[in-house]
Amino acid sequence: MPYSIMLDAGHGGRDPGAVYNGRQEKDDTLRLTLAVGEILQNNGIDVEYTRTTDVYETPFEKAAEANEAGVDFFVSIHRNSFPTDNQVSGVESLVYDLSGVKYEMAQDINEQLEAVGFVNLGVKARPDLIVLRKTKMPAVLVEVGFINSDTDNQLFDDNFDAIASAIADGILDTLERKEETVKTGYRVQVGAYRNRNYAEKLMEELMELDIPAYIEEYDPYYRVQVGNYQSLDEAVQMEGKIKREGYPAVIVPG
């Protein structure tokens, strides 16, 4: 089943976004968003857009559009700005919190853009942003360089096609991993040790709590895991149960 994604070109219409020497963020984002969308469509992704022309919509309206469309992912494309011109350069991506598939996608996009030549400023949590807070699906906001950085603007203009491909490739990398996870299921991992005795002790403690733990050997570690769930919801429930018992737990591919 193909994935669906809504691409959002930041700003638009009466809202130009950041402006530098006559250059407007809304123009860069629209051009880039359409290019990314074309690449994704050519790779079998169902793509929708919040805008394809120079029109204005509030962040609330954009989030509502994505929710109404029922897409799997939401990616908003922007250009960054800094109070002092030519002081900062690089790409960063924003997510509601640093967890889940949205965080993975943000990291994948940043890494691909770094390969083009941008400084990778990392992924940051921004729960205050409406398009990240109000969307019901995993959402990422990508800041593709600083519009008031001559270095970033030259990189943007000279490598436009490569940048569009980088963003699309970052998204596709995440979706490919997600597809593999769906195929293999989910496990909950509670610990990983080089010493098998430690792993066996943890396994026994969990089994006393009616948690059906077992040990998987992945050289050089003995990993204490629970289940092989086809449903993510089931894995999440077990993860919560283990954490309530006072143990760390993380969901991993089966």
Side-chain angles (χ1 to χ4, degrees), residues 45-99:
I45 307 300
D46 181 11
V47 179
E48 298 190 40
Y49 302 89
T50 58
R51 70 181 180 100
T52 57
T53 59
D54 186 21
V55 297
Y56 174 74
E57 289 184 321
T58 68
F60 279 105
E61 289 172 325
K62 292 180 175 185
E65 280 185 43
N67 294 338
E68 179 68 23
V71 294
D72 298 313
F73 297 91
F74 180 91
V75 175
S76 185
I77 296 177
H78 288 249
R79 298 291 312 279
N80 219 334
S81 184
F82 193 76
T84 305
D85 295 342
N86 293 303
Q87 184 82 20
V88 180
S89 62
V91 296
E92 65 179 3
S93 290
L94 311 176
V95 291
Y96 181 79
D97 58 43
L98 303 180
S99 68

Side-chain angles (χ1 to χ4, degrees), residues 155-171:
L155 188 59
F156 187 96
D157 294 336
D158 291 349
N159 299 274
F160 180 83
D161 291 339
I163 290 168
S165 293
I167 296 173
D169 287 345
I171 294 169

Side-chain angles (χ1 to χ4, degrees), residues 9-13 15-19 22-34 51 53-54 79 147 156 160:
H11 309 282
D15 175 16
V19 177
R23 185 172 192 143
Q24 300 185 94
E25 181 181 0
K26 68 173 184 176
D27 298 327
D28 284 354
T29 60
L30 180 57
R31 181 172 165 236
L32 183 56
T33 297
L34 295 176
R51 70 181 180 100
T53 59
D54 186 21
R79 298 291 312 279
I147 200 167
F156 187 96
F160 180 83

Side-chain angles (χ1 to χ4, degrees), residues 107-221:
Q107 290 177 306
D108 286 339
I109 292 171
N110 278 17
E111 288 174 5
Q112 291 286 349
L113 288 170
E114 183 178 11
V116 176
F118 284 106
V119 175
N120 186 348
L121 299 176
V123 181
K124 298 177 176 61
R126 286 289 303 275
D128 57 314
L129 293 180
I130 291 170
V131 293
L132 303 180
R133 179 162 54 90
K134 292 295 185 180
T135 42
K136 296 179 180 179
M137 68 291 301
V140 179
L141 190 152
V142 188
E143 299 275 14
V144 188
F146 285 74
I147 200 167
N148 60 339
S149 163
D150 293 334
T151 298
D152 281 356
N153 285 338
Q154 183 171 355
L155 188 59
F156 187 96
D157 294 336
D158 291 349
N159 299 274
F160 180 83
D161 291 339
I163 290 168
S165 293
I167 296 173
D169 287 345
I171 294 169
L172 293 169
D173 286 346
T174 308
L175 298 184
E176 183 177 347
R177 272 201 316 278
K178 188 173 187 294
E179 189 68 25
E180 288 301 315
T181 300
V182 169
K183 290 177 183 177
T184 58
Y186 306 89
R187 300 181 184 187
V188 181
Q189 183 165 301
V190 191
Y193 303 94
R194 289 180 180 271
N195 187 317
R196 185 180 180 91
N197 291 334
Y198 294 149
E200 289 178 348
K201 182 176 183 296
L202 175 58
M203 180 185 69
E204 291 169 2
E205 290 177 5
L206 293 171
M207 292 182 71
E208 288 177 3
L209 297 169
D210 293 324
I211 297 173
Y214 55 87
I215 296 173
E216 285 284 354
E217 184 175 353
Y218 299 92
D219 190 45
Y221 294 102

